[in-house]
Amino acid sequence: MIIVCYDISNNKLRTQFSKFLEQHGFRLQYSVFELNNSNRVLNLVKEAIEHQFKKRFTPSDSVLIFTTDKQKVIKYGSAIHIDQDLIIMWFTNQQCLFFQQKIKNDC
């Protein structure tokens, strides 16, 4: 598991940085992302920071990158749902009617 936290004062740079991170993972909180866990992604993010973003950071900006094992993470609140599977079923009107009929026939 790769976690990236950041505090970037410039709005435009912060938006660009978050959009970059969204390409490799998902937002956990406003300035915290969980990235796909691979050495390739970690190296890609570090290289992008070094070559694209670092020179534009102010002295008050910060980026922290953590790597850890998913089994070592303790989650509370809405974070507990992040790794759970979610099944979404979408039906057109005709399929809904058929599905409802099938349920009634099985009963």
Side-chain angles (χ1 to χ4, degrees), residues 7 10-11 14 21-22 26-27 29 40 42-43 45-46 53-54 59 61 75 77 97 101 103 105:
D7 185 9
N10 181 285
N11 291 337
R14 185 175 56 247
L21 293 176
E22 284 175 343
F26 58 94
R27 188 184 298 270
Q29 294 183 356
R40 184 187 67 78
L42 179 59
N43 290 332
V45 168
K46 291 190 312 188
F53 296 103
K54 184 178 175 182
D61 293 341
K75 298 177 182 179
L97 291 173
Q101 281 182 323
I103 290 173
N105 290 339

Side-chain angles (χ1 to χ4, degrees), residues 90-103:
W90 182 312
F91 297 98
T92 66
N93 286 341
Q94 290 175 342
Q95 288 173 323
C96 280
L97 291 173
F98 175 76
F99 184 70
Q100 289 172 351
Q101 281 182 323
K102 185 175 180 184
I103 290 173

Side-chain angles (χ1 to χ4, degrees), residues 10-103:
N10 181 285
N11 291 337
K12 184 176 179 181
L13 180 59
R14 185 175 56 247
T15 299
Q16 290 172 350
F17 191 67
S18 69
K19 286 183 179 185
F20 167 74
L21 293 176
E22 284 175 343
Q23 295 173 8
H24 305 288
F26 58 94
R27 188 184 298 270
L28 294 174
Q29 294 183 356
Y30 185 73
S31 296
V32 181
F33 279 80
E34 180 179 330
L35 304 184
N36 300 324
N37 193 18
S38 74
N39 285 332
R40 184 187 67 78
V41 170
L42 179 59
N43 290 332
L44 191 126
V45 168
K46 291 190 312 188
E47 285 179 24
I49 290 171
E50 284 291 328
H51 297 104
Q52 296 174 27
F53 296 103
K54 184 178 175 182
K55 61 187 170 211
R56 298 164 51 199
F57 290 155
T58 67
S60 65
D61 293 341
S62 63
V63 177
L64 301 171
I65 301 173
F66 301 93
T67 59
T68 188
D69 218 354
K70 277 195 175 196
Q71 289 72 30
K72 294 180 181 179
V73 175
I74 301 169
K75 298 177 182 179
Y76 296 98
S78 64
I80 63 173
H81 303 292
I82 289 172
D83 294 325
Q84 294 178 349
D85 291 334
L86 175 65
I87 298 172
I88 299 174
M89 299 173 70
W90 182 312
F91 297 98
T92 66
N93 286 341
Q94 290 175 342
Q95 288 173 323
C96 280
L97 291 173
F98 175 76
F99 184 70
Q100 289 172 351
Q101 281 182 323
K102 185 175 180 184
I103 290 173

